[in-house]
Amino acid sequence: MISAAATGFFTAFSLILAIGAQNAFVLRQGLLRAHVFWLALLCALSDALLIAAGVAGFGAVVGLYPGLPRLMALGGAAFLAAYGALRFRAAWRGDYAMVLSGQSAGLWPTLAAGAAFTWLNPHVYLDTLGLIGAISTQYQPVAQKLAFAGAAMASSFTFFFGLGYGARVLAPVMRSPRAWQIFDVIVGAVMWAIAASLLSGALQENI
């Protein structure tokens, strides 16, 4: 039980830890101190649902619909390219009066963006339905499988809430428009790099 739980927690945590579009968005909202709880909850619950599906054995869905990953990659690339462009535009304009005053987009637009970063990312399906689902097969007793899945879900809650609220530590550094410009350029570059990677993979599948 303990071994299964430890494996589940650290496997999921290591997969989420990589810098990605979703993490960058949560970090940004954490710096703004806006809608952090609900955004972190959305991301963690989404991961929990996908982990449950992966452990339950639904990784075979991709085998039934082989064209699904490519469609998701194209949709995700388009979304990330658009959001990255917005971040570059914000950095170019340099108008951070609203940001420095702590203002952010409303709750529902923020959650909609968070959902898009989560569900339009093909890698999240590879990690949860594929990798975590595959690792869970080594635990045959139901109790061990539940311990593995529960710990993996707990790691998502730990990470996203830690990232969202932990971002406040950087708040003193982000008190100038220049700091936000640099941050937005980095976020935009991350978004475009991931979009390019998704697009490249989707196009290679079509060759």
Side-chain angles (χ1 to χ4, degrees):
M1 291 281 290
I2 296 177
S3 175
T7 301
F9 186 92
F10 289 110
T11 297
F13 197 88
S14 64
L15 292 173
I16 304 170
L17 191 60
I19 296 175
Q22 183 190 46
N23 294 352
F25 184 66
V26 174
L27 177 62
R28 191 174 195 279
Q29 289 303 126
L31 290 170
L32 290 173
R33 302 188 181 188
H35 317 304
V36 177
F37 175 82
W38 294 111
L39 178 60
L41 183 63
L42 170 71
C43 293
L45 286 177
S46 296
D47 265 12
L49 288 173
L50 290 167
I51 289 170
V55 172
F58 284 100
V61 170
V62 174
L64 297 175
Y65 303 98
L68 184 60
R70 182 171 179 271
L71 290 176
M72 293 179 59
L74 292 174
F79 175 77
L80 292 175
Y83 188 83
L86 290 177
R87 298 274 57 84
F88 282 125
R89 179 172 177 267
W92 175 262
R93 294 178 62 182
D95 183 8
Y96 289 97
M98 292 180 62
V99 171
L100 292 174
S101 66
Q103 297 184 44
S104 170
L107 174 61
W108 292 113
T110 299
L111 293 182
F117 281 123
T118 301
W119 294 94
L120 289 179
N121 178 13
H123 294 297
V124 74
Y125 297 94
L126 176 62
D127 292 343
T128 54
L129 297 181
L131 186 55
I132 292 180
I135 294 175
S136 71
T137 59
Q138 65 183 293
Y139 302 106
Q140 295 304 322
V142 175
Q144 288 188 6
K145 194 175 288 287
L146 289 176
F148 174 88
M153 295 175 189
S155 73
S156 290
F157 280 87
T158 301
F159 178 83
F160 286 115
F161 278 93
L163 178 63
Y165 287 104
R168 299 184 179 189
V169 177
L170 298 176
V173 182
M174 305 300 293
R175 289 178 177 172
S176 69
R178 183 63 174 172
W180 276 99
Q181 278 184 309
I182 294 172
F183 181 75
D184 273 344
V185 168
I186 293 174
V187 171
V190 169
M191 301 298 174
W192 277 14
I194 297 174
S197 175
L198 292 177
L199 185 59
S200 175
L203 292 177
Q204 286 180 4
E205 289 182 8
N206 200 38
I207 296 176

